[in-house]
Amino acid sequence: MIFKEGTPIYMQIAERLQDEILAGRYAEGDRVPSVREYSVLLEVNVNTTVKAYEQLASLGAIYNRRGMGYFVADGAVAAILSQRRRAFLDEELPELFRRMTLLGITPDELLSRWRTASSAADGAGKAAT
């Protein structure tokens, strides 16, 4: 995994595991890789992965069964989507609007690009199935 500057590694690991849950790689009730397995896979310190798993557990996305490992919690997808939507709407969207204003990009231009991108994504999804 290639890590980005400016964001703690444990947060990037947590985001990756959330992405994998959202993508269906790990369904609710499934066991996720152990902390050690995930650390080896991502080539990071075990303590960093522990911190990521603790963050996901506090979100309610995963839980620990003593002696058995971590599992995807019931309602994990809904919890992740709720948290990410809130962060996007409260943090990222205002910054996008600010940048659009500075660059003179109109809502109509943005909507046109969004429709084009959505159509392309829909076509790619249909081609893959």
Side-chain angles (χ1 to χ4, degrees):
M1 179 170 175
I2 299 172
F3 297 102
K4 302 173 274 189
E5 291 287 327
T7 304
I9 291 174
Y10 79 92
M11 291 178 70
Q12 294 179 57
I13 292 169
E15 187 172 301
R16 175 187 167 129
L17 191 51
Q18 288 177 24
D19 288 345
E20 292 173 340
I21 292 169
L22 291 176
R25 182 167 186 182
Y26 305 109
E28 294 179 1
D30 284 355
R31 184 182 172 280
V32 296
S34 72
V35 169
R36 291 192 194 289
E37 291 168 339
Y38 218 54
S39 297
V40 169
L41 175 70
L42 301 179
E43 299 176 346
V44 297
N45 185 290
V46 171
N47 293 327
T48 305
T49 305
V50 166
K51 197 168 180 179
Y53 276 44
E54 288 173 350
Q55 180 183 0
L56 291 173
S58 70
L59 173 66
I62 63 174
Y63 64 94
N64 188 2
R65 284 190 193 161
R66 187 175 292 279
M68 296 182 67
Y70 282 91
F71 292 79
V72 179
D74 290 340
V77 171
I80 293 167
L81 286 174
S82 174
Q83 182 264 335
R84 285 193 171 182
R85 286 177 58 90
R86 190 172 38 258
F88 177 78
L89 293 171
D90 294 346
E91 299 165 18
E92 295 179 45
L93 201 53
E95 175 62 14
L96 175 65
F97 291 156
R98 184 190 72 76
R99 291 180 66 196
M100 286 176 61
T101 300
L102 287 173
L103 298 171
I105 298 171
T106 67
D108 288 338
E109 287 178 88
L110 183 66
L111 186 56
S112 174
R113 294 283 181 115
W114 180 74
R115 285 183 176 141
T116 300
S118 293
S119 294
D122 288 344
K126 290 177 185 172
T129 54

